């Protein structure tokens, strides 16, 4: 690997817990200053990876490198890491000031340096004036910001976050996502966070590492994973993906192979009221609206076609459609899965050619 393209590197990492293999030949590298999400379903091995980087677990084989140094035998306290837990892990009987100062006091930093750093971090997390409060006197969002500040106080070169927004309500979670991304960008600190929420990963991360059953399925930017899934698992997992086995029944699509199936996403489908202009009318077909879900800036329309319940997005400015209404549906494209080979197949009326990914 090039000399300094990576700040964190895992090479051929394996980890067992008894007979269960939690990590299976894990390989990836993270450049300095990147904000990376470990994304996968529960039990996929993402937290085990994070804990091995932190030094809280030790791999059975393979190497973990941080800033070019193999750290397998280096205690977590000497790896230059800040760790933020999902349940904050703040000291209940310490004030906000003392919580943030804790790591610096352990390192026996001078009092003036501690005071300057704590006040600098209070400003960074927008919690100035709260330094004398206790965790019980803070909101969930404020507690998590203080947990970030405490992890950042000793100036770590690597920040690890284990489902940092899991214990926070939805509105505050959205606010903290934006704040975290802005803070990491400002500090230019390499950061890895675990999540099972793909919206969170796509919105916050520079890169995503998708895990499944102890393996790394794909590494890439959110856009690359969304547009060009490398495995069948990623195609099914990323996006609001709906599997369809009888996709050859859709107009202007041919079956790609006997054992293939298709994946459809809402952005691949357009729904029109009867009477609205449909550009490719000959390739559109009728469906029946089963549900209409308000999504704020748009509507999700669930429509039944050939026994498949598909989802499409429709503008709130378009004429309303009702449950039970017969509508015209045009399917622009779909992913065809043949084992691990994935083909993006366009509707023939678009005169496009299939692209092998």
């Amino acid at each position: 690997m090039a000399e300094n393209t990576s700040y964190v590197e895992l090479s051929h990492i394996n980890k067992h817990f008894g007979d269960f293999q939690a990590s299976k030949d894990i390989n990836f590298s993270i450049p300095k200053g990147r904000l990376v999400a470990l994304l996968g379903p529960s039990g996929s091995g993402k937290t085990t990876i994070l804990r091995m980087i932190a030094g809280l677990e030790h791999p059975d084989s393979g190497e973990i490198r941080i800033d070019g140094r193999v750290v397998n035998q280096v205690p977590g306290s000497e790896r230059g890491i800040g760790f933020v837990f999902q349940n904050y892990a703040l000291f209940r009987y310490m004030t906000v000031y003392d919580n943030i100062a804790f790591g610096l006091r352990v390192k026996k930093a001078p009092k003036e340096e501690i005071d300057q750093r704590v006040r600098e971090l209070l400003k960074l997390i927008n919690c100035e004036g709260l330094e004398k409060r206790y965790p019980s006197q803070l909101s969930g969002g404020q507690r998590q910001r203080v947990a970030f500040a405490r992890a950042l106080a000793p100036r770590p070169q690597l920040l690890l976050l284990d489902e940092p927004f899991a214990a926070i309500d939805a509105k505050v979670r959205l606010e903290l996502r934006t704040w975290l991304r802005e803070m990491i960008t400002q500090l230019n600190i390499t950061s890895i966070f675990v999540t099972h929420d793909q919206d969170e990963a796509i919105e916050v991360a520079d890169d995503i590492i998708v895990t499944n059953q102890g393996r790394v399925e794909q590494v890439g930017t959110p856009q690359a994973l969304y547009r060009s899934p490398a495995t069948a698992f990623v195609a099914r997992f990323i996006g609001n993906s709906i599997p369809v086995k009888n996709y050859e029944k859709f107009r202007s699509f041919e079956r790609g192979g006997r054992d293939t199936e298709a994946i459809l996403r809402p952005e691949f489908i357009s729904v029109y009221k009867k009477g609205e202009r449909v550009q490719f009318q000959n390739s559109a077909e009728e469906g029946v609206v089963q549900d209409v879900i308000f999504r704020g800036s748009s509507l999700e329309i669930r429509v039944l076609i050939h026994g498949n319940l598909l989802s499409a997005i429709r503008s709130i400015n378009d004429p309303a459609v009702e449950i039970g209404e017969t509508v015209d549906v045009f399917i622009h494209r779909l992913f065809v899965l043949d084992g691990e080979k994935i083909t993006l197949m366009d509707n023939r009326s678009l005169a496009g050619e299939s692209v092998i990914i």
Side-chain angles (χ1 to χ4, degrees):
M1 181 161 296
E3 284 174 355
N4 217 27
T5 54
S6 67
Y7 187 76
V8 178
E9 185 178 355
L10 274 65
S11 302
H12 303 294
I13 294 293
N14 291 280
K15 175 65 178 177
H16 290 79
F17 294 100
D19 294 332
F20 175 69
Q21 188 169 1
S23 297
K24 303 171 184 176
D25 195 34
I26 301 295
N27 295 276
F28 63 78
S29 62
I30 298 172
K32 188 171 181 62
R34 299 291 277 182
L35 174 54
V36 176
L38 278 165
L39 172 68
S42 297
S44 64
K46 54 192 185 295
T47 296
T48 299
I49 292 171
L50 196 77
R51 289 175 63 82
M52 286 191 289
I53 295 171
L56 301 175
E57 301 286 354
H58 300 284
D60 301 329
S61 60
E63 283 188 345
I64 299 174
R65 292 178 179 270
I66 299 177
D67 199 16
R69 178 175 67 146
V70 177
V71 297
N72 292 47
Q73 304 305 318
V74 176
S77 59
E78 297 175 18
R79 295 187 184 188
I81 289 172
F83 204 118
V84 179
F85 298 90
Q86 63 175 279
N87 60 352
Y88 321 122
L90 295 176
F91 299 112
R92 290 182 298 163
Y93 303 112
M94 286 187 185
T95 63
V96 165
Y97 186 104
D98 290 336
N99 263 286
I100 297 172
F102 180 78
L104 294 168
R105 286 174 175 157
V106 168
K107 292 191 170 189
K108 296 183 168 54
K111 185 176 180 181
E112 297 77 14
E113 180 186 325
I114 293 173
D115 187 67
Q116 180 181 348
R117 181 63 172 159
V118 171
R119 297 195 181 283
E120 176 186 312
L121 287 166
L122 283 167
K123 184 176 181 180
L124 178 70
I125 65 172
N126 300 319
C127 286
E128 292 171 292
L130 303 181
E131 56 267 32
K132 293 182 180 179
R133 294 191 186 182
Y134 290 88
S136 62
Q137 298 172 306
L138 303 176
S139 68
Q142 288 170 335
R143 285 198 292 270
Q144 192 59 292
R145 287 172 188 251
V146 172
F148 287 139
R150 188 180 64 179
L152 292 168
R155 301 182 190 276
Q157 295 303 301
L158 177 62
L159 183 64
L160 305 179
L161 307 104
D162 186 10
E163 304 227 25
F165 310 122
I168 301 171
D169 66 67
K171 185 176 184 298
V172 177
R173 190 159 62 238
L174 289 173
E175 293 171 358
L176 276 182
R177 285 180 192 173
T178 303
W179 174 80
L180 175 66
R181 182 169 181 81
E182 290 173 351
M183 184 189 73
I184 299 289
T185 300
Q186 179 182 337
L187 296 173
N188 194 35
I189 181 173
T190 310
S191 305
I192 308 170
F193 72 99
V194 162
T195 182
H196 63 270
D197 183 335
Q198 61 169 286
D199 290 339
E200 191 168 279
I202 288 169
E203 182 180 333
V204 176
D206 297 316
D207 301 295
I208 298 174
I209 299 169
V210 180
T211 59
N212 177 43
Q213 296 183 340
R215 293 186 174 87
V216 170
E217 292 274 340
Q218 188 173 355
V219 180
T221 64
Q223 296 92 334
L225 265 63
Y226 197 87
R227 294 173 181 169
S228 304
T231 68
F233 174 81
V234 176
R236 294 186 182 102
F237 184 68
I238 298 292
N240 183 11
S241 299
I242 298 169
V244 175
K245 295 198 179 293
N246 61 342
Y247 64 92
E248 73 281 358
K249 291 187 176 181
F250 298 143
R251 288 184 185 171
S252 300
F253 289 98
E254 294 178 354
R255 191 159 193 87
R258 189 179 67 178
D259 297 324
T260 59
E261 67 173 286
I263 294 290
L264 276 164
R265 291 178 177 162
E267 65 270 22
F268 293 173
I269 305 165
S270 294
V271 171
Y272 302 89
K273 279 184 79 72
K274 287 293 184 180
E276 283 187 303
R277 182 176 177 274
V278 182
Q279 185 175 1
F280 300 99
Q281 184 67 58
N282 291 339
S283 293
E285 50 199 311
E286 290 188 339
V288 178
V289 175
Q290 303 295 302
D291 202 358
V292 179
I293 303 169
F294 179 63
R295 298 295 187 193
S297 59
S298 63
L299 297 169
E300 180 183 350
I301 310 299
R302 293 186 177 173
V303 60
L304 190 66
I305 306 176
H306 303 307
N308 300 290
L309 186 61
L310 307 181
S311 287
I313 301 301
R314 188 170 166 87
S315 171
I316 57 174
N317 297 318
D318 291 335
V321 297
E322 307 291 338
I323 295 173
E325 183 175 343
T326 299
V327 291
D328 288 324
V329 179
F330 179 71
I331 298 172
H332 299 259
R333 61 189 57 85
L334 44 76
F335 284 124
V336 175
L337 276 54
D338 187 358
E340 285 300 318
K341 186 176 80 170
I342 304 170
T343 306
L344 182 60
M345 184 181 290
D346 286 330
N347 189 301
R348 285 199 308 275
S349 65
L350 298 173
E353 296 182 357
S354 299
V355 180
I356 300 293
I357 296 176

